[in-house]
Amino acid sequence: MDLRDLRYFETIAELQHLGRASTRLHRSQPALTSSIRRLETACGAALFEKAGRGIKLTEAGHVLLKWAQRMRFDVEDAKRELSSIGAGLTGHVRLGVVPTAAQFLLPAVARQLLKEAPDVTLHTVVGLIAMLKPQLHAGELDLMVATESAPDAGYVSQVLLEDMIVVAASERHEVFRKAKSLKDLVAYRWALQPPGLPTRDWLDHTFDRKGLPRPHVQVETTSLISLPALIVQTGLLSFISRHHLQGPSRIPGLKEVPITGATMRRRLVVTYRANSFLSPAAKRLVELFLRSASAD
């Protein structure tokens, strides 16, 4: 099998459309069709079948995709390991990081890494785990710092720290005089992430379990970083990391609403592919995240 054919195959499988794959790869559709035919001949099975206006993988196609990705990872790892010989702490590290870790862990870690290795370049992608994990699996990221999720075969996760998500509001908010239980929070309006995201779903289900109406959301945003400043300036409640409320990263004017049963515990982990090459710079980045987290 030709590695170029396998790279074309991965893109076609991702887009499920020859025309779109042709545009992305800058290759003609007949050339891509010939590439797929060569692979099908080598495999002895059809790799795609029609699906509406596009195409989708057959069972054999799914099997080949798994191995094509592994082969690409191995080739890329070999190139990177060879280029790292004798190079020391140099090169390029691709990091995916959730907003909380980007705000509270990354600055100090990046500062130390660049102090030790001024020739390293660091590409960071900030987003939620639903966006970062597919990029890690596709080999677009070397490692990911995110909230802990179900373990994936072929990946290693190391725990960094435990993060508490709590109800918070402006310290001038009347909720501190009137609210004693979860039921008392029903009267107020909130600024929250959209449904489907872990912290929002946890909070909604907590109200459900108590037989209470879900929070009345007045502002909905995917920007976790903007939430603390937003609730300081408004009369809204929110559900945010306790890191915003204590220590050197504390945001003035923001205060936790102490409500029993309204604290979500989650863990932040650093994740990377098992049995794959991590450059010395990437390994050092993992070590610095672990050290920084243990010091907090």
Side-chain angles (χ1 to χ4, degrees), residues 73-290:
F73 291 158
D74 287 344
V75 169
E76 291 173 353
D77 282 349
K79 290 178 179 177
R80 291 165 60 207
E81 186 166 0
L82 287 167
S83 67
S84 73
I85 294 175
L89 287 178
T90 61
H92 186 63
V93 182
R94 303 164 301 170
L95 169 70
V97 58
V98 294
T100 300
Q103 190 169 1
F104 298 112
L105 289 179
L106 181 59
V109 167
R111 181 177 66 248
Q112 183 62 31
L113 177 67
L114 297 181
K115 179 181 178 181
E116 296 178 12
D119 292 330
V120 166
T121 56
L122 182 62
H123 173 72
T124 62
V125 178
V126 179
L128 299 177
I129 189 170
M131 181 187 87
L132 299 177
K133 185 179 282 191
Q135 294 185 44
L136 182 67
H137 288 183
E140 297 167 7
L141 298 173
D142 300 312
L143 53 107
M144 173 181 74
V145 175
T147 49
E148 187 176 37
S149 60
D152 289 324
Y155 291 84
V156 174
S157 291
Q158 294 179 264
V159 176
L160 296 177
L161 55 82
E162 190 172 71
D163 188 26
M164 303 295 189
I165 312 300
V166 299
V167 179
S170 164
E171 61 187 11
R172 301 183 303 275
H173 202 293
E174 69 172 38
V175 69
F176 295 104
R177 299 190 304 275
K178 297 185 176 181
K180 304 297 182 184
S181 68
L182 198 66
K183 183 178 180 180
D184 297 326
L185 301 184
V186 172
Y188 300 102
R189 298 188 179 191
W190 297 67
L192 295 172
Q193 292 182 277
L197 298 180
T199 55
R200 171 68 181 275
D201 287 350
W202 188 94
L203 188 65
D204 281 346
H205 295 157
T206 297
F207 277 79
D208 291 344
R209 287 192 295 270
K210 295 292 185 179
L212 299 171
R214 291 185 173 186
H216 181 176
V217 180
Q218 188 165 21
V219 175
E220 195 169 84
T221 178
T222 57
S223 175
L224 284 174
I225 293 175
S226 70
L227 274 175
L230 179 67
I231 62 177
V232 167
Q233 299 297 325
T234 67
L236 303 177
L237 306 185
S238 195
F239 197 52
I240 60 175
S241 171
R242 191 175 274 163
H243 283 289
H244 293 290
L245 309 173
Q246 58 189 21
S249 301
R250 180 181 180 275
I251 295 178
L254 202 57
K255 187 176 176 181
E256 179 178 344
V257 182
I259 298 295
T260 301
T263 299
M264 173 185 172
R265 295 173 181 267
R266 67 179 184 182
R267 299 202 296 182
L268 294 178
V269 298
V270 57
T271 302
Y272 47 90
R273 284 187 294 124
N275 304 316
S276 66
F277 173 72
L278 272 183
S279 69
K283 288 180 180 178
R284 183 56 180 156
L285 188 62
V286 171
E287 292 170 357
L288 290 173
F289 269 116
L290 290 167

Side-chain angles (χ1 to χ4, degrees), residues 11 15 17-29 32:
T11 301
L15 299 177
H17 195 279
L18 270 175
R20 289 195 287 271
S22 174
T23 299
R24 178 184 291 186
L25 294 167
H26 305 291
R27 301 288 292 174
S28 68
Q29 290 191 44
L32 295 182

